Amino acid sequence: MDVIWNRYYGLVEKLMLFTGMWPYLESKTRRLRIGLMTMTAGTIFVPQIKYLTESLLIHWRKLETDEEVEIAQSHARLSKRFSVLYSSYCFFGVYGMTSVPLLMPILDIVLPLNESRPVLLPISVYYFMDPRQNLIFVCGFAMVSCGILMTALVAHDCIFVTLVEHVCCMFSVLGSRYEYLLGANFDNTEKNAKLDFDKIYRQKIGQFVCTHNKILEFVKLIENTFTIPLAIQLMILIVSLSCTLLQITHEEARAIDVTRYIFYVTGQLFHLFCLSFEGQKLIDYSLGLRDKIYNSSWYQTSIRSQKLLIMTMMQSLQPTFVSAGKIYIFSLESFTMVVQTSVSYFTVLSTFR
């Protein structure tokens, strides 16, 4: 028996022992290993987020006009509004789903059955106890554990959306600077001094080109920070969507289970849609920079200045995006592709039933 166990489950056992997830470990050993894994993840992820948030403050300090400040505030308000609505939706869904078993006694009074009503567990796991006799403890455990996991997920998604909105803000600010490049950036004192305006234009355009390169570097930093977590989320989402759709169509599925599965699928799709929508905004704002350059008074500058503008326009021909695992590009088109892929997997799995 031990030979069979080691052949098929030995690797899984060793991995769970190393990460502290093996259920038969001593409590002190489990806490120590889980703590070490958490600290290791924190030393990698927290400094990256610190660097990203510091970059936000630096970009805010470099805003020059009231119009640019208003643009930044509008995107910041969008980020705040998303964080409030998204977190409210997620926590309402989690606590609503995990507290449904506590409402079963009410159903026994309102809609009594001739037989004992089956126990509806908040999470399909092994509880090491009788769920019916310890329903309050089971639901309490589900609320606390799912709440902690959802907090981490919401924090991850909110900081991601905030950073993407900030990049869109910087593209918008840079575009407005190009639009008002001539005339608006120089006062009467400079004009009366008869300065070499072409030199000033080249200096301004050179600063804009450097700013655009810094924005692209910031996007690359966001990409490197979030690409692996987003890839893991995407893989879990595709598999869970396919399996959940399969459970919905199961002949023995109860009506209340089907309802929970539908809410779960809706939540997963909403989660992916929010991330894909922000990715689409980033693509649109990066491509919109070339239009704002074209709408500026570029024809009033010298040939040397126009060549600098061409550099930025050539970079703007390629959309700026963030991806999951360097494969999935967050956009509305990719969102529909994931939904189609999940449905395809569901169709394949349903043929093996």
Coordinates of all heavy atoms in Angstrom, one line a residue, residues 16-97:
M16 N 3.2 19.4 -0.1 CA 2.3 19.9 0.9 C 3.1 19.9 2.3 O 2.9 20.8 3.1 CB 1.1 19.0 1.0 CG 0.2 19.0 -0.2 SD -1.3 18.0 0.0 CE -2.2 19.0 1.2
L17 N 4.0 19.0 2.5 CA 4.8 19.0 3.7 C 5.7 20.2 3.7 O 5.9 20.9 4.7 CB 5.7 17.7 3.8 CG 4.9 16.5 4.2 CD1 5.8 15.3 4.1 CD2 4.5 16.6 5.7
F18 N 6.3 20.5 2.5 CA 7.2 21.7 2.4 C 6.5 23.0 2.6 O 7.0 23.9 3.3 CB 7.9 21.7 1.0 CG 8.8 22.8 0.8 CD1 10.1 22.8 1.4 CD2 8.5 23.9 0.0 CE1 11.0 23.8 1.2 CE2 9.3 24.9 -0.2 CZ 10.6 24.9 0.4
T19 N 5.3 23.1 2.1 CA 4.5 24.4 2.3 C 3.7 24.5 3.5 O 3.1 25.5 3.8 CB 3.6 24.6 1.1 OG1 2.7 23.4 0.9 CG2 4.4 24.7 -0.2
G20 N 3.7 23.4 4.3 CA 2.9 23.4 5.6 C 1.4 23.1 5.4 O 0.6 23.4 6.3
M21 N 1.0 22.6 4.2 CA -0.4 22.3 4.0 C -0.8 20.9 4.3 O -2.0 20.6 4.1 CB -0.7 22.7 2.5 CG -0.4 24.1 2.1 SD -0.5 24.4 0.3 CE -2.2 23.9 0.0
W22 N 0.1 20.0 4.6 CA -0.2 18.7 4.9 C -1.1 18.6 6.2 O -0.7 19.1 7.3 CB 1.1 17.8 5.1 CG 0.8 16.4 5.2 CD1 1.0 15.6 6.3 CD2 0.3 15.5 4.2 NE1 0.7 14.3 6.1 CE2 0.3 14.2 4.8 CE3 -0.1 15.6 2.9 CZ2 -0.2 13.1 4.1 CZ3 -0.5 14.5 2.2 CH2 -0.5 13.3 2.8
P23 N -2.2 18.0 6.2 CA -3.2 18.1 7.3 C -2.7 17.4 8.6 O -3.2 17.6 9.7 CB -4.5 17.5 6.8 CG -4.0 16.6 5.7 CD -2.8 17.2 5.1
Y24 N -1.7 16.5 8.5 CA -1.3 15.7 9.6 C 0.0 16.2 10.2 O 0.6 15.5 11.1 CB -1.2 14.2 9.2 CG -2.4 13.7 8.6 CD1 -2.5 13.4 7.3 CD2 -3.5 13.4 9.4 CE1 -3.7 12.9 6.7 CE2 -4.7 12.9 8.9 CZ -4.8 12.6 7.5 OH -5.9 12.2 7.0
L25 N 0.4 17.4 9.8 CA 1.6 18.0 10.5 C 1.3 18.5 11.9 O 0.1 18.8 12.2 CB 2.1 19.2 9.6 CG 3.0 18.9 8.4 CD1 3.3 20.2 7.7 CD2 4.3 18.3 8.9
E26 N 2.3 18.6 12.7 CA 2.1 19.2 14.0 C 1.7 20.7 13.8 O 2.2 21.3 12.9 CB 3.3 19.0 14.9 CG 3.6 17.6 15.2 CD 4.8 17.4 16.2 OE1 5.4 18.5 16.5 OE2 5.1 16.3 16.5
S27 N 1.0 21.2 14.8 CA 0.5 22.6 14.6 C 1.7 23.6 14.6 O 1.7 24.5 13.8 CB -0.5 22.9 15.8 OG 0.2 22.8 17.0
K28 N 2.7 23.4 15.4 CA 3.8 24.3 15.4 C 4.6 24.3 14.1 O 5.0 25.3 13.6 CB 4.7 24.0 16.6 CG 4.1 24.2 18.0 CD 5.1 23.9 19.1 CE 4.6 24.2 20.5 NZ 5.5 23.9 21.6
T29 N 4.8 23.1 13.6 CA 5.5 22.9 12.4 C 4.7 23.5 11.2 O 5.3 24.2 10.3 CB 5.8 21.4 12.1 OG1 6.5 20.8 13.2 CG2 6.6 21.3 10.8
R30 N 3.4 23.3 11.2 CA 2.6 23.9 10.2 C 2.6 25.4 10.2 O 2.8 26.1 9.2 CB 1.1 23.4 10.3 CG 0.2 23.9 9.2 CD -1.2 23.5 9.4 NE -1.4 22.1 9.5 CZ -1.7 21.4 10.6 NH1 -1.9 22.1 11.7 NH2 -1.9 20.1 10.5
R31 N 2.5 26.0 11.4 CA 2.5 27.5 11.5 C 3.9 28.0 11.1 O 3.9 29.1 10.4 CB 2.2 27.9 12.9 CG 0.7 27.7 13.3 CD 0.4 28.5 14.5 NE 1.1 28.0 15.7 CZ 0.7 27.1 16.5 NH1 -0.5 26.5 16.3 NH2 1.4 26.7 17.6
L32 N 4.9 27.3 11.4 CA 6.3 27.8 11.1 C 6.5 27.8 9.6 O 6.9 28.8 9.0 CB 7.3 26.9 11.7 CG 8.8 27.3 11.4 CD1 9.1 28.7 11.8 CD2 9.7 26.3 12.0
R33 N 6.1 26.7 8.9 CA 6.3 26.6 7.5 C 5.4 27.6 6.7 O 5.8 28.2 5.7 CB 6.1 25.2 7.0 CG 7.1 24.2 7.6 CD 7.0 22.8 7.1 NE 8.0 21.9 7.7 CZ 8.1 20.6 7.4 NH1 7.3 20.1 6.5 NH2 9.0 19.9 8.0
I34 N 4.1 27.7 7.1 CA 3.2 28.6 6.4 C 3.7 30.1 6.6 O 3.7 30.9 5.7 CB 1.8 28.5 6.9 CG1 1.3 27.1 6.5 CG2 0.9 29.6 6.4 CD1 -0.1 26.8 7.0
G35 N 4.2 30.4 7.9 CA 4.8 31.7 8.1 C 6.0 32.0 7.3 O 6.1 33.1 6.7
L36 N 6.9 31.0 7.1 CA 8.0 31.3 6.2 C 7.6 31.5 4.8 O 8.2 32.4 4.1 CB 9.0 30.1 6.3 CG 9.7 29.9 7.7 CD1 10.5 28.6 7.7 CD2 10.6 31.1 7.9
M37 N 6.6 30.7 4.3 CA 6.2 30.9 2.9 C 5.5 32.3 2.7 O 5.8 33.0 1.7 CB 5.2 29.8 2.6 CG 5.7 28.4 2.5 SD 6.9 28.2 1.2 CE 5.9 28.3 -0.2
T38 N 4.8 32.7 3.7 CA 4.1 34.0 3.7 C 5.1 35.2 3.7 O 5.0 36.1 2.9 CB 3.1 34.2 4.8 OG1 2.2 33.1 4.8 CG2 2.4 35.5 4.7
M39 N 6.1 35.0 4.6 CA 7.2 36.1 4.6 C 8.0 36.1 3.4 O 8.3 37.2 2.9 CB 8.1 35.8 5.8 CG 7.5 36.0 7.2 SD 8.6 35.5 8.5 CE 10.0 36.6 8.2
T40 N 8.3 35.0 2.8 CA 9.0 34.9 1.5 C 8.2 35.7 0.4 O 8.8 36.4 -0.4 CB 9.3 33.5 1.1 OG1 10.0 32.8 2.1 CG2 10.1 33.5 -0.2
A41 N 6.9 35.4 0.3 CA 6.1 36.0 -0.7 C 6.0 37.5 -0.4 O 6.0 38.3 -1.4 CB 4.7 35.4 -0.7
G42 N 6.0 37.9 0.9 CA 5.9 39.3 1.2 C 7.2 40.1 0.8 O 7.1 41.2 0.3
T43 N 8.3 39.5 1.0 CA 9.6 40.1 0.7 C 9.7 40.3 -0.8 O 10.5 41.2 -1.3 CB 10.8 39.3 1.2 OG1 10.7 37.9 0.7 CG2 10.8 39.2 2.7
I44 N 9.0 39.5 -1.6 CA 9.1 39.7 -3.1 C 8.0 40.7 -3.6 O 8.3 41.6 -4.4 CB 8.8 38.3 -3.8 CG1 10.0 37.4 -3.4 CG2 8.8 38.5 -5.3 CD1 9.8 36.0 -3.9
F45 N 6.8 40.6 -3.0 CA 5.7 41.4 -3.6 C 5.6 42.8 -3.0 O 5.3 43.7 -3.7 CB 4.4 40.6 -3.3 CG 3.2 41.2 -4.1 CD1 3.1 41.1 -5.5 CD2 2.2 41.8 -3.4 CE1 2.1 41.6 -6.1 CE2 1.1 42.3 -4.1 CZ 1.0 42.2 -5.4
V46 N 5.8 42.9 -1.7 CA 5.6 44.2 -1.0 C 6.5 45.2 -1.5 O 6.1 46.4 -1.8 CB 5.7 44.0 0.5 CG1 5.7 45.3 1.3 CG2 4.5 43.1 1.1
P47 N 7.9 45.0 -1.6 CA 8.7 46.0 -2.2 C 8.3 46.5 -3.6 O 8.5 47.7 -3.9 CB 10.1 45.4 -2.2 CG 10.0 44.3 -1.1 CD 8.6 43.8 -1.2
Q48 N 7.8 45.6 -4.4 CA 7.4 46.0 -5.7 C 6.2 47.0 -5.7 O 6.2 48.0 -6.4 CB 7.0 44.8 -6.5 CG 8.2 43.9 -6.9 CD 7.8 42.7 -7.7 OE1 6.7 42.1 -7.5 NE2 8.6 42.3 -8.7
I49 N 5.3 46.7 -4.8 CA 4.1 47.6 -4.6 C 4.6 48.9 -4.1 O 4.1 50.0 -4.4 CB 3.0 46.9 -3.8 CG1 2.5 45.6 -4.4 CG2 1.9 47.9 -3.5 CD1 1.9 45.8 -5.8
K50 N 5.5 48.9 -3.1 CA 6.0 50.1 -2.6 C 6.7 51.0 -3.7 O 6.5 52.2 -3.7 CB 7.1 49.8 -1.5 CG 7.8 51.0 -0.9 CD 6.8 51.9 -0.1 CE 7.6 53.0 0.5 NZ 6.7 53.9 1.2
Y51 N 7.4 50.4 -4.5 CA 8.1 51.1 -5.6 C 7.0 51.7 -6.6 O 7.1 52.8 -7.0 CB 9.0 50.2 -6.4 CG 9.7 50.9 -7.5 CD1 10.8 51.7 -7.3 CD2 9.3 50.7 -8.8 CE1 11.4 52.4 -8.3 CE2 10.0 51.3 -9.9 CZ 11.0 52.2 -9.6 OH 11.6 52.8 -10.7
L52 N 6.0 50.9 -6.8 CA 4.9 51.4 -7.7 C 4.2 52.6 -7.1 O 3.9 53.6 -7.8 CB 3.9 50.3 -8.0 CG 4.5 49.1 -8.9 CD1 3.5 48.0 -9.0 CD2 4.7 49.6 -10.3
T53 N 3.8 52.5 -5.8 CA 3.1 53.6 -5.2 C 4.0 54.8 -5.0 O 3.5 56.0 -5.1 CB 2.6 53.2 -3.8 OG1 3.7 52.6 -3.0 CG2 1.6 52.1 -3.9
E54 N 5.3 54.7 -4.8 CA 6.2 55.8 -4.8 C 6.2 56.5 -6.2 O 6.3 57.7 -6.3 CB 7.6 55.4 -4.4 CG 7.8 55.1 -2.9 CD 7.6 56.3 -2.1 OE1 7.9 57.4 -2.5 OE2 7.2 56.2 -0.9
S55 N 6.1 55.7 -7.3 CA 6.1 56.3 -8.6 C 4.8 57.1 -8.8 O 4.8 58.1 -9.5 CB 6.2 55.2 -9.6 OG 7.4 54.4 -9.5
L56 N 3.7 56.7 -8.2 CA 2.5 57.5 -8.3 C 2.7 58.9 -7.7 O 2.3 59.9 -8.3 CB 1.3 56.8 -7.6 CG 0.9 55.4 -8.1 CD1 -0.3 54.9 -7.3 CD2 0.5 55.5 -9.6
L57 N 3.3 59.0 -6.5 CA 3.5 60.2 -5.9 C 4.4 61.1 -6.7 O 4.2 62.3 -6.9 CB 4.1 60.0 -4.5 CG 3.2 59.3 -3.5 CD1 3.9 59.1 -2.2 CD2 1.9 60.0 -3.3
I58 N 5.5 60.5 -7.3 CA 6.4 61.3 -8.1 C 5.7 61.9 -9.3 O 5.9 63.0 -9.7 CB 7.6 60.4 -8.6 CG1 8.4 60.0 -7.3 CG2 8.5 61.1 -9.6 CD1 9.5 59.0 -7.6
H59 N 4.9 61.1 -10.0 CA 4.1 61.6 -11.2 C 3.2 62.7 -10.8 O 3.0 63.7 -11.6 CB 3.4 60.4 -11.8 CG 4.3 59.4 -12.4 ND1 3.8 58.1 -12.7 CD2 5.6 59.4 -12.7 CE1 4.9 57.4 -13.2 NE2 5.9 58.2 -13.2
W60 N 2.5 62.6 -9.6 CA 1.6 63.7 -9.2 C 2.4 65.0 -9.0 O 1.9 66.1 -9.3 CB 0.9 63.3 -7.9 CG -0.4 62.5 -8.2 CD1 -0.6 61.2 -8.5 CD2 -1.7 63.1 -8.2 NE1 -1.9 60.9 -8.6 CE2 -2.6 62.0 -8.4 CE3 -2.2 64.4 -7.9 CZ2 -4.0 62.2 -8.5 CZ3 -3.6 64.6 -8.0 CH2 -4.5 63.5 -8.3
R61 N 3.6 64.9 -8.5 CA 4.3 66.1 -8.2 C 4.8 66.8 -9.5 O 5.1 68.0 -9.5 CB 5.6 65.8 -7.3 CG 5.2 65.2 -6.0 CD 6.5 65.2 -5.1 NE 6.2 64.5 -3.8 CZ 6.6 63.2 -3.6 NH1 7.2 62.5 -4.5 NH2 6.3 62.7 -2.4
K62 N 4.8 66.1 -10.6 CA 5.3 66.7 -11.8 C 4.2 67.3 -12.7 O 4.4 67.7 -13.8 CB 6.0 65.6 -12.7 CG 7.3 65.1 -12.0 CD 8.1 64.1 -12.9 CE 9.4 63.7 -12.3 NZ 10.1 62.7 -13.1
L63 N 3.0 67.3 -12.2 CA 1.9 67.9 -12.9 C 2.1 69.5 -12.9 O 2.4 70.0 -11.9 CB 0.5 67.6 -12.2 CG 0.2 66.1 -12.2 CD1 -1.1 65.8 -11.5 CD2 0.1 65.5 -13.6
E64 N 1.8 70.1 -14.0 CA 2.2 71.5 -14.2 C 1.0 72.5 -14.1 O 1.2 73.6 -13.6 CB 2.9 71.6 -15.5 CG 4.2 70.8 -15.6 CD 4.9 70.9 -17.0 OE1 4.2 71.5 -17.9 OE2 6.0 70.4 -17.2
T65 N -0.1 72.1 -14.7 CA -1.2 73.1 -14.8 C -2.4 72.5 -14.0 O -2.5 71.3 -13.7 CB -1.6 73.3 -16.3 OG1 -2.0 72.0 -16.9 CG2 -0.4 73.8 -17.0
D66 N -3.4 73.4 -13.8 CA -4.7 73.0 -13.2 C -5.4 71.9 -14.0 O -6.1 71.1 -13.5 CB -5.6 74.2 -12.9 CG -4.9 75.2 -11.9 OD1 -4.1 74.7 -11.1 OD2 -5.3 76.4 -12.0
E67 N -5.3 72.1 -15.3 CA -6.0 71.1 -16.2 C -5.4 69.7 -16.0 O -6.1 68.7 -16.0 CB -5.9 71.5 -17.7 CG -6.6 70.6 -18.6 CD -6.4 71.0 -20.1 OE1 -5.8 72.1 -20.3 OE2 -6.9 70.3 -21.0
E68 N -4.1 69.6 -15.9 CA -3.5 68.3 -15.7 C -3.8 67.7 -14.3 O -4.0 66.5 -14.2 CB -1.9 68.5 -15.8 CG -1.5 68.8 -17.2 CD 0.0 69.0 -17.3 OE1 0.7 68.8 -16.3 OE2 0.5 69.3 -18.4
V69 N -3.9 68.6 -13.3 CA -4.3 68.1 -12.0 C -5.8 67.6 -12.0 O -6.1 66.6 -11.4 CB -4.2 69.3 -11.0 CG1 -4.8 68.9 -9.6 CG2 -2.8 69.7 -10.8
E70 N -6.6 68.3 -12.8 CA -8.0 67.8 -12.9 C -8.1 66.5 -13.6 O -8.9 65.6 -13.3 CB -8.8 68.9 -13.7 CG -10.3 68.5 -13.9 CD -11.0 68.3 -12.6 OE1 -10.7 68.9 -11.6 OE2 -12.0 67.4 -12.7
I71 N -7.2 66.3 -14.7 CA -7.2 65.0 -15.3 C -6.8 63.9 -14.4 O -7.4 62.8 -14.3 CB -6.2 65.1 -16.5 CG1 -6.8 66.0 -17.6 CG2 -6.0 63.7 -17.1 CD1 -5.8 66.2 -18.8
A72 N -5.8 64.2 -13.6 CA -5.3 63.2 -12.6 C -6.4 62.9 -11.6 O -6.6 61.7 -11.2 CB -4.0 63.7 -12.0
Q73 N -7.0 63.9 -11.1 CA -8.1 63.7 -10.1 C -9.3 62.9 -10.7 O -9.9 62.1 -9.9 CB -8.6 65.1 -9.6 CG -7.5 65.8 -8.7 CD -8.0 67.2 -8.2 OE1 -9.0 67.7 -8.8 NE2 -7.4 67.7 -7.3
S74 N -9.6 63.2 -11.9 CA -10.7 62.4 -12.5 C -10.4 60.9 -12.6 O -11.2 60.1 -12.3 CB -11.0 62.9 -13.9 OG -9.9 62.7 -14.8
H75 N -9.2 60.6 -12.9 CA -8.8 59.2 -13.0 C -8.7 58.6 -11.6 O -9.0 57.4 -11.3 CB -7.5 59.0 -13.7 CG -7.6 59.1 -15.2 ND1 -7.9 58.0 -16.0 CD2 -7.4 60.2 -16.0 CE1 -8.0 58.4 -17.3 NE2 -7.7 59.7 -17.3
A76 N -8.2 59.4 -10.6 CA -8.2 58.9 -9.2 C -9.6 58.7 -8.7 O -9.8 57.7 -7.9 CB -7.4 60.0 -8.4
R77 N -10.5 59.5 -9.1 CA -11.9 59.3 -8.6 C -12.5 58.0 -9.2 O -13.2 57.3 -8.5 CB -12.8 60.5 -9.0 CG -12.6 61.7 -8.1 CD -13.7 62.8 -8.3 NE -13.6 63.3 -9.7 CZ -12.9 64.4 -10.0 NH1 -12.3 65.1 -9.0 NH2 -12.9 64.9 -11.2
L78 N -12.1 57.7 -10.5 CA -12.6 56.5 -11.1 C -12.0 55.3 -10.3 O -12.7 54.3 -10.1 CB -12.2 56.5 -12.5 CG -12.9 57.3 -13.5 CD1 -12.3 57.3 -14.9 CD2 -14.4 56.9 -13.5
S79 N -10.7 55.4 -9.9 CA -10.1 54.3 -9.2 C -10.8 54.1 -7.8 O -11.0 53.0 -7.4 CB -8.6 54.6 -9.0 OG -7.9 54.7 -10.2
K80 N -11.0 55.2 -7.2 CA -11.7 55.1 -5.9 C -13.1 54.5 -6.0 O -13.5 53.6 -5.2 CB -11.8 56.5 -5.2 CG -12.5 56.5 -3.9 CD -12.6 57.9 -3.3 CE -13.3 57.8 -1.9 NZ -13.4 59.2 -1.4
R81 N -13.8 55.0 -7.0 CA -15.2 54.5 -7.2 C -15.2 53.0 -7.5 O -16.0 52.2 -7.0 CB -15.9 55.3 -8.4 CG -17.4 55.0 -8.5 CD -18.0 55.8 -9.6 NE -17.8 57.3 -9.3 CZ -17.1 58.1 -10.0 NH1 -16.5 57.7 -11.1 NH2 -17.0 59.4 -9.7
F82 N -14.2 52.6 -8.4 CA -14.1 51.1 -8.7 C -13.8 50.3 -7.4 O -14.4 49.3 -7.2 CB -13.0 50.9 -9.7 CG -12.7 49.5 -9.9 CD1 -13.4 48.7 -10.8 CD2 -11.6 48.9 -9.3 CE1 -13.1 47.3 -11.0 CE2 -11.3 47.5 -9.4 CZ -12.1 46.8 -10.3
S83 N -12.8 50.8 -6.6 CA -12.4 50.1 -5.4 C -13.6 49.9 -4.5 O -13.8 48.8 -3.9 CB -11.3 50.8 -4.7 OG -10.2 50.9 -5.6
V84 N -14.4 50.9 -4.3 CA -15.6 50.9 -3.4 C -16.6 49.9 -3.9 O -17.1 49.0 -3.2 CB -16.2 52.3 -3.2 CG1 -17.5 52.2 -2.4 CG2 -15.2 53.2 -2.4
L85 N -17.0 50.0 -5.2 CA -18.0 49.2 -5.7 C -17.6 47.7 -5.9 O -18.3 46.8 -5.6 CB -18.5 49.7 -7.1 CG -19.1 51.1 -7.1 CD1 -19.4 51.5 -8.5 CD2 -20.4 51.1 -6.3
Y86 N -16.3 47.6 -6.3 CA -15.8 46.2 -6.5 C -15.7 45.4 -5.2 O -16.0 44.3 -5.1 CB -14.5 46.3 -7.2 CG -13.9 44.9 -7.6 CD1 -14.4 44.2 -8.7 CD2 -12.8 44.4 -6.9 CE1 -13.8 43.0 -9.0 CE2 -12.2 43.2 -7.3 CZ -12.8 42.5 -8.3 OH -12.2 41.3 -8.7
S87 N -15.1 46.1 -4.2 CA -15.0 45.4 -2.9 C -16.3 45.2 -2.3 O -16.5 44.1 -1.7 CB -14.1 46.3 -2.0 OG -14.7 47.6 -1.8
S88 N -17.3 46.1 -2.4 CA -18.6 45.8 -1.9 C -19.3 44.7 -2.6 O -19.9 43.8 -1.9 CB -19.5 47.1 -2.1 OG -18.9 48.2 -1.4
Y89 N -19.1 44.6 -3.9 CA -19.7 43.5 -4.6 C -19.1 42.1 -4.2 O -19.8 41.1 -3.9 CB -19.5 43.7 -6.1 CG -19.9 42.5 -7.0 CD1 -21.2 42.3 -7.3 CD2 -18.9 41.6 -7.4 CE1 -21.5 41.2 -8.1 CE2 -19.2 40.6 -8.2 CZ -20.6 40.3 -8.6 OH -20.9 39.3 -9.4
C90 N -17.8 42.1 -4.1 CA -17.1 40.8 -3.8 C -17.4 40.4 -2.3 O -17.7 39.2 -2.1 CB -15.6 41.0 -3.9 SG -15.0 41.3 -5.6
F91 N -17.3 41.3 -1.4 CA -17.6 40.9 0.0 C -19.1 40.5 0.2 O -19.4 39.6 1.0 CB -17.2 42.0 1.0 CG -15.7 42.1 1.1 CD1 -15.0 43.2 0.7 CD2 -15.0 41.1 1.7 CE1 -13.7 43.3 0.9 CE2 -13.6 41.2 1.8 CZ -12.9 42.3 1.4
F92 N -20.0 41.2 -0.5 CA -21.4 40.9 -0.4 C -21.6 39.5 -0.9 O -22.4 38.7 -0.4 CB -22.2 41.9 -1.1 CG -23.7 41.6 -1.1 CD1 -24.5 41.8 0.0 CD2 -24.3 41.0 -2.3 CE1 -25.8 41.5 -0.1 CE2 -25.6 40.7 -2.3 CZ -26.4 40.9 -1.2
G93 N -21.0 39.2 -2.1 CA -21.1 37.9 -2.6 C -20.6 36.8 -1.8 O -21.2 35.7 -1.6
V94 N -19.4 37.0 -1.2 CA -18.7 35.9 -0.4 C -19.5 35.7 0.9 O -19.9 34.5 1.2 CB -17.3 36.4 0.0 CG1 -16.7 35.5 1.1 CG2 -16.4 36.2 -1.3
Y95 N -19.8 36.7 1.6 CA -20.6 36.5 2.9 C -22.0 36.1 2.6 O -22.6 35.4 3.5 CB -20.5 37.8 3.7 CG -19.1 38.1 4.2 CD1 -18.5 39.3 3.9 CD2 -18.5 37.2 5.1 CE1 -17.2 39.5 4.4 CE2 -17.2 37.4 5.5 CZ -16.6 38.6 5.2 OH -15.3 38.9 5.7
G96 N -22.5 36.5 1.5 CA -23.9 36.0 1.1 C -23.9 34.5 0.8 O -24.8 33.8 1.3
M97 N -22.9 34.0 0.1 CA -22.8 32.6 -0.3 C -22.5 31.7 0.9 O -23.1 30.7 1.1 CB -21.8 32.4 -1.4 CG -22.2 33.1 -2.7 SD -23.6 32.4 -3.5 CE -22.9 30.8 -4.0

